[in-house]
Amino acid sequence: MSRHTDTSRCPGCGAVLRDIDGPVHAYMTSSPACFERFNRILAPEYSQPSLRDTHRLTVDTYAVQHPGEGSDRRRIQSVGLHLARLCLQLADPRPPRETNDVMLGLSKYKETLKQLQPPARFTETAADVAPFAGSAHHAGKVRDWAAATWNDWAEHHEYIREWIAERRGDLKPRAKRLPSTRRKN
């Protein structure tokens, strides 16, 4: 006896998943099934100290795969800022706290981000990572997913890198002016 299970394509990342009822993000367009996979990946990142450094990669990757629709300013800023942090985490790895601090600094300029057209398809999705959630392979699978997703956005790499570079000068600590040792006569 065969069982028929209805499936649908996630409007964000394109993963084909079994239909379920459930919540979705307020402005990141996804199916309930895909949002459930995302939360399945997040759960061990909150509960297992060894996975905490993976958390921002997970959030950034999911966010840029579920960019929302239309010209909602939150959508445009979310995609741009998450792509920027993804770029920094992959191209210029730093401790997560430092990467987050840079992102917070960049967020001062979020109004300058332009709308980016997402890729037609994504190589890997949360559905590919969720089966490994909490396992010894969790962090590696998230890194692979993040790298594949960053590569899927290749058309916009130059724009994101330039946007970061133009604003990072404002984010560097200012050199403190030392008092003059010259004597006044």
Side-chain angles (χ1 to χ4, degrees), residues 132-180:
F132 300 95
S135 76
H137 302 289
H138 181 116
K141 291 293 183 181
V142 168
R143 278 191 296 276
D144 292 346
W145 175 38
T149 300
W150 171 248
N151 288 334
D152 292 337
W153 281 89
E155 176 183 346
H156 302 295
H157 286 183
E158 183 178 349
Y159 168 75
I160 291 296
R161 286 184 178 118
E162 286 177 6
W163 185 85
I164 292 168
E166 288 170 3
R167 281 135 194 98
R168 281 189 75 190
D170 291 344
L171 302 175
K172 293 179 183 171
R174 305 274 185 226
K176 291 183 180 176
R177 185 175 221 144
L178 298 175
S180 175

Side-chain angles (χ1 to χ4, degrees), residues 24-179:
V24 294
H25 191 275
Y27 59 87
M28 291 183 204
T29 305
S30 71
S31 68
C34 195
F35 194 64
E36 184 274 331
R37 298 306 191 289
F38 173 56
N39 284 293
R40 194 183 306 171
I41 297 165
L42 289 179
E45 293 176 5
Y46 287 116
S47 63
Q48 296 177 25
S50 63
L51 295 176
R52 288 192 184 131
D53 287 354
T54 308
H55 178 70
R56 299 211 192 289
L57 273 178
T58 299
V59 170
D60 293 334
T61 303
Y62 187 82
V64 301
Q65 285 193 343
H66 299 84
E69 297 174 347
S71 58
D72 180 340
R73 192 75 210 147
R74 294 177 303 175
R75 171 218 179 283
I76 294 166
Q77 293 168 359
S78 175
V79 168
L81 287 171
H82 287 291
L83 276 173
R85 188 164 63 188
L86 205 54
C87 175
L88 291 170
Q89 290 179 98
L90 296 171
D92 186 14
R94 307 156 178 248
R97 178 85 170 153
E98 188 177 332
T99 303
N100 195 55
D101 290 346
V102 170
M103 171 119 164
L104 290 173
L106 288 172
S107 71
K108 294 186 301 186
Y109 305 100
K110 62 188 176 186
E111 293 82 19
T112 66
L113 287 160
K114 69 179 188 177
Q115 186 169 351
L116 303 176
Q117 182 64 36
R121 64 177 294 278
F122 290 100
T123 308
E124 293 183 41
T125 68
D128 299 309
V129 179
F132 300 95
S135 76
H137 302 289
H138 181 116
K141 291 293 183 181
V142 168
R143 278 191 296 276
D144 292 346
W145 175 38
T149 300
W150 171 248
N151 288 334
D152 292 337
W153 281 89
E155 176 183 346
H156 302 295
H157 286 183
E158 183 178 349
Y159 168 75
I160 291 296
R161 286 184 178 118
E162 286 177 6
W163 185 85
I164 292 168
E166 288 170 3
R167 281 135 194 98
R168 281 189 75 190
D170 291 344
L171 302 175
K172 293 179 183 171
R174 305 274 185 226
K176 291 183 180 176
R177 185 175 221 144
L178 298 175

